[in-house]
Short mmCIF file of all heavy atoms in Angstrom, two decimals:
data_model
loop_
_atom_site.label_atom_id
_atom_site.label_comp_id
_atom_site.label_asym_id
_atom_site.label_seq_id
_atom_site.Cartn_x
_atom_site.Cartn_y
_atom_site.Cartn_z
N VAL X 239 -12.30 6.17 -5.92
CA VAL X 239 -12.81 7.47 -5.47
C VAL X 239 -13.89 7.97 -6.44
O VAL X 239 -14.92 8.51 -6.01
CB VAL X 239 -11.65 8.48 -5.35
CG1 VAL X 239 -12.19 9.89 -5.11
CG2 VAL X 239 -10.72 8.07 -4.21
N PHE X 240 -13.66 7.81 -7.72
CA PHE X 240 -14.63 8.23 -8.73
C PHE X 240 -15.99 7.56 -8.51
O PHE X 240 -17.04 8.16 -8.75
CB PHE X 240 -14.10 7.88 -10.13
CG PHE X 240 -15.05 8.20 -11.26
CD1 PHE X 240 -15.17 9.50 -11.73
CD2 PHE X 240 -15.81 7.20 -11.85
CE1 PHE X 240 -16.04 9.79 -12.79
CE2 PHE X 240 -16.68 7.48 -12.90
CZ PHE X 240 -16.80 8.79 -13.36
N HIS X 241 -15.96 6.32 -8.02
CA HIS X 241 -17.19 5.57 -7.76
C HIS X 241 -17.72 5.78 -6.34
O HIS X 241 -18.58 5.02 -5.89
CB HIS X 241 -16.95 4.08 -8.02
CG HIS X 241 -16.92 3.73 -9.48
ND1 HIS X 241 -18.04 3.33 -10.18
CD2 HIS X 241 -15.91 3.75 -10.39
CE1 HIS X 241 -17.72 3.11 -11.44
NE2 HIS X 241 -16.44 3.35 -11.60
N GLY X 242 -17.21 6.79 -5.66
CA GLY X 242 -17.75 7.15 -4.35
C GLY X 242 -17.05 6.53 -3.17
O GLY X 242 -17.53 6.66 -2.03
N GLY X 243 -15.92 5.86 -3.39
CA GLY X 243 -15.17 5.25 -2.30
C GLY X 243 -14.18 6.22 -1.67
O GLY X 243 -14.09 7.39 -2.05
N SER X 244 -13.43 5.73 -0.70
CA SER X 244 -12.44 6.56 -0.01
C SER X 244 -11.12 5.81 0.07
O SER X 244 -11.02 4.63 -0.26
CB SER X 244 -12.93 6.92 1.40
OG SER X 244 -12.97 5.76 2.22
N LEU X 245 -10.09 6.53 0.54
CA LEU X 245 -8.75 5.97 0.67
C LEU X 245 -8.24 6.11 2.10
O LEU X 245 -8.62 7.04 2.82
CB LEU X 245 -7.77 6.68 -0.27
CG LEU X 245 -8.12 6.73 -1.76
CD1 LEU X 245 -7.06 7.51 -2.51
CD2 LEU X 245 -8.27 5.33 -2.33
N CYS X 246 -7.38 5.19 2.48
CA CYS X 246 -6.58 5.34 3.70
C CYS X 246 -5.36 6.15 3.28
O CYS X 246 -4.61 5.74 2.38
CB CYS X 246 -6.17 3.98 4.26
SG CYS X 246 -5.09 4.08 5.70
N GLN X 247 -5.13 7.30 3.90
CA GLN X 247 -4.11 8.22 3.43
C GLN X 247 -2.69 7.76 3.72
O GLN X 247 -1.75 8.20 3.05
CB GLN X 247 -4.34 9.61 4.00
CG GLN X 247 -5.63 10.24 3.53
CD GLN X 247 -5.76 11.69 3.94
OE1 GLN X 247 -4.79 12.45 3.93
NE2 GLN X 247 -6.98 12.08 4.31
N ASN X 248 -2.51 6.88 4.68
CA ASN X 248 -1.16 6.36 4.97
C ASN X 248 -1.27 4.98 5.62
O ASN X 248 -1.57 4.86 6.80
CB ASN X 248 -0.40 7.31 5.89
CG ASN X 248 1.05 6.87 6.11
OD1 ASN X 248 1.56 6.01 5.38
ND2 ASN X 248 1.71 7.46 7.09
N VAL X 249 -1.01 3.95 4.82
CA VAL X 249 -1.12 2.58 5.34
C VAL X 249 0.20 2.07 5.93
O VAL X 249 0.20 1.02 6.58
CB VAL X 249 -1.57 1.61 4.23
CG1 VAL X 249 -2.94 2.01 3.69
CG2 VAL X 249 -0.55 1.53 3.11
N THR X 250 1.29 2.79 5.72
CA THR X 250 2.60 2.30 6.14
C THR X 250 2.65 1.92 7.61
O THR X 250 3.14 0.83 7.96
CB THR X 250 3.70 3.32 5.80
OG1 THR X 250 3.66 3.60 4.40
CG2 THR X 250 5.08 2.78 6.17
N PRO X 251 2.15 2.74 8.55
CA PRO X 251 2.20 2.36 9.97
C PRO X 251 1.31 1.17 10.31
O PRO X 251 1.47 0.55 11.38
CB PRO X 251 1.72 3.62 10.70
CG PRO X 251 1.83 4.73 9.71
CD PRO X 251 1.60 4.10 8.39
N LEU X 252 0.36 0.87 9.43
CA LEU X 252 -0.61 -0.20 9.69
C LEU X 252 -0.15 -1.55 9.17
O LEU X 252 -0.77 -2.58 9.44
CB LEU X 252 -1.95 0.16 9.04
CG LEU X 252 -2.55 1.51 9.43
CD1 LEU X 252 -3.84 1.76 8.66
CD2 LEU X 252 -2.80 1.59 10.93
N ARG X 253 0.94 -1.57 8.43
CA ARG X 253 1.41 -2.82 7.84
C ARG X 253 2.19 -3.65 8.85
O ARG X 253 2.98 -3.13 9.62
CB ARG X 253 2.28 -2.53 6.61
CG ARG X 253 1.47 -1.98 5.44
CD ARG X 253 2.25 -2.03 4.15
NE ARG X 253 1.42 -1.64 3.02
CZ ARG X 253 0.59 -2.45 2.38
NH1 ARG X 253 0.47 -3.71 2.77
NH2 ARG X 253 -0.14 -2.03 1.37
N VAL X 254 1.94 -4.96 8.79
CA VAL X 254 2.62 -5.91 9.67
C VAL X 254 3.37 -6.96 8.85
O VAL X 254 4.54 -7.26 9.10
CB VAL X 254 1.62 -6.62 10.62
CG1 VAL X 254 2.34 -7.66 11.48
CG2 VAL X 254 0.90 -5.60 11.49
N HIS X 255 2.71 -7.48 7.83
CA HIS X 255 3.26 -8.61 7.07
C HIS X 255 3.79 -8.22 5.69
O HIS X 255 4.25 -9.08 4.96
CB HIS X 255 2.18 -9.69 6.90
CG HIS X 255 1.62 -10.18 8.20
ND1 HIS X 255 2.36 -10.92 9.10
CD2 HIS X 255 0.39 -10.02 8.75
CE1 HIS X 255 1.61 -11.20 10.15
NE2 HIS X 255 0.41 -10.67 9.97
N THR X 256 3.70 -6.94 5.34
CA THR X 256 4.17 -6.51 4.03
C THR X 256 5.02 -5.26 4.18
O THR X 256 4.90 -4.51 5.16
CB THR X 256 2.99 -6.20 3.08
OG1 THR X 256 2.18 -5.18 3.66
CG2 THR X 256 2.15 -7.43 2.83
N ARG X 257 5.85 -5.02 3.19
CA ARG X 257 6.68 -3.81 3.17
C ARG X 257 7.00 -3.47 1.73
O ARG X 257 6.69 -4.22 0.81
CB ARG X 257 7.97 -4.02 3.97
CG ARG X 257 8.82 -5.19 3.53
CD ARG X 257 9.94 -5.45 4.54
NE ARG X 257 10.73 -6.62 4.19
CZ ARG X 257 11.81 -6.61 3.39
NH1 ARG X 257 12.20 -5.46 2.86
NH2 ARG X 257 12.47 -7.71 3.13
N HIS X 258 7.63 -2.30 1.53
CA HIS X 258 7.98 -1.89 0.17
C HIS X 258 8.92 -2.91 -0.44
O HIS X 258 9.82 -3.42 0.20
CB HIS X 258 8.66 -0.51 0.20
CG HIS X 258 7.68 0.61 0.26
ND1 HIS X 258 6.81 0.77 1.31
CD2 HIS X 258 7.43 1.63 -0.60
CE1 HIS X 258 6.07 1.85 1.10
NE2 HIS X 258 6.43 2.39 -0.04
N ARG X 259 8.69 -3.19 -1.72
CA ARG X 259 9.52 -4.14 -2.44
C ARG X 259 10.07 -3.47 -3.70
O ARG X 259 9.46 -2.54 -4.22
CB ARG X 259 8.69 -5.36 -2.85
CG ARG X 259 8.11 -6.13 -1.66
CD ARG X 259 9.18 -6.85 -0.87
NE ARG X 259 8.59 -7.77 0.11
CZ ARG X 259 9.29 -8.54 0.93
NH1 ARG X 259 10.61 -8.52 0.87
NH2 ARG X 259 8.70 -9.34 1.78
N PRO X 260 11.20 -3.92 -4.21
CA PRO X 260 11.73 -3.32 -5.45
C PRO X 260 10.75 -3.46 -6.59
O PRO X 260 10.05 -4.46 -6.74
CB PRO X 260 13.00 -4.15 -5.72
CG PRO X 260 13.38 -4.72 -4.39
CD PRO X 260 12.09 -4.95 -3.67
N LEU X 261 10.68 -2.42 -7.43
CA LEU X 261 9.72 -2.41 -8.53
C LEU X 261 9.94 -3.54 -9.51
O LEU X 261 8.99 -4.04 -10.11
CB LEU X 261 9.81 -1.07 -9.27
CG LEU X 261 9.00 0.08 -8.68
CD1 LEU X 261 9.34 1.38 -9.41
CD2 LEU X 261 7.51 -0.20 -8.79
N LEU X 262 11.18 -3.95 -9.69
CA LEU X 262 11.49 -4.94 -10.72
C LEU X 262 11.35 -6.38 -10.24
O LEU X 262 11.55 -7.31 -11.03
CB LEU X 262 12.91 -4.71 -11.27
CG LEU X 262 13.11 -3.40 -12.02
CD1 LEU X 262 14.57 -3.23 -12.40
CD2 LEU X 262 12.23 -3.36 -13.27
N LEU X 263 10.99 -6.57 -8.97
CA LEU X 263 10.90 -7.92 -8.43
C LEU X 263 9.51 -8.17 -7.84
O LEU X 263 9.05 -7.40 -7.00
CB LEU X 263 11.97 -8.16 -7.36
CG LEU X 263 13.43 -8.06 -7.81
CD1 LEU X 263 14.37 -8.21 -6.63
CD2 LEU X 263 13.72 -9.12 -8.87
N PRO X 264 8.84 -9.25 -8.23
CA PRO X 264 7.50 -9.56 -7.72
C PRO X 264 7.57 -10.30 -6.39
O PRO X 264 7.25 -11.49 -6.30
CB PRO X 264 6.89 -10.43 -8.83
CG PRO X 264 8.08 -11.13 -9.41
CD PRO X 264 9.23 -10.17 -9.32
#
């Protein structure tokens, strides 16, 4: 954002192949 870019405010509904994962596991 500092460099003039933008963000998608909510990607969760757009995800198909990924989901939240535990912080301690890669």
Side-chain angles (χ1 to χ4, degrees):
V239 171
F240 177 79
H241 284 268
S244 68
L245 305 178
C246 176
Q247 296 188 39
N248 185 14
V249 299
T250 303
L252 305 177
R253 290 194 173 278
V254 177
H255 303 292
T256 59
R257 56 190 176 89
H258 278 61
R259 298 290 190 179
L261 276 172
L262 294 175
L263 297 176

